[in-house]
Amino acid sequence: MDKYLIIKTRDEFLRIRINDILYFEADRNYTKLLLSEGIQFTFAINIGKIEETLQSQIPEVNAVLLRVGKSLIINKTYILQINLPKTKLLLLTPGGKPRELIVAKEPLKVLKETMEQEGLKNKNT
């Protein structure tokens, strides 16, 4: 069964399938949301509040969506490449369109280690 995130503002109501989320990106007091189909939304909500909303509505969301540094929450199922020297994260949408994000080195390193650990766990089960 699909899980949905509900985002409500004074003027908007949005119901999004978790699997369709590519990433959230902070932009001061706003947050941009990009869906895997390329549709983009901008909310007058900071990324911390988005993270709280995710946790309260879908407690198991950490299995899919990860906070990367101060400005990103990404859907790890779309990760294609993590490049530490270039501080680059490449996400691949279901349609085959790559999305390149520049991420600070430390959060990217933590993400890489997390993904490696999960890969080892999945290999051993």
Side-chain angles (χ1 to χ4, degrees), residues 51-69:
E51 189 174 30
E52 287 173 20
T53 302
L54 282 164
Q55 294 293 338
S56 66
Q57 290 183 23
I58 308 150
E60 68 278 8
V61 78
N62 286 345
V64 179
L65 299 177
L66 293 175
R67 179 85 183 249
V68 180

Side-chain angles (χ1 to χ4, degrees), residues 28-81:
R28 295 189 191 110
N29 290 331
Y30 293 87
T31 301
K32 288 191 290 188
L33 162 63
L34 188 72
L35 299 179
S36 58
E37 297 86 18
I39 300 167
Q40 184 173 307
F41 297 94
T42 301
F43 307 104
I45 303 172
N46 70 35
I47 200 161
K49 184 71 174 156
I50 294 286
E51 189 174 30
E52 287 173 20
T53 302
L54 282 164
Q55 294 293 338
S56 66
Q57 290 183 23
I58 308 150
E60 68 278 8
V61 78
N62 286 345
V64 179
L65 299 177
L66 293 175
R67 179 85 183 249
V68 180
K70 294 178 181 178
S71 62
L72 286 172
I73 298 173
I74 60 145
N75 187 331
K76 67 183 184 184
T77 58
Y78 295 115
I79 294 174
L80 177 64
Q81 178 188 38

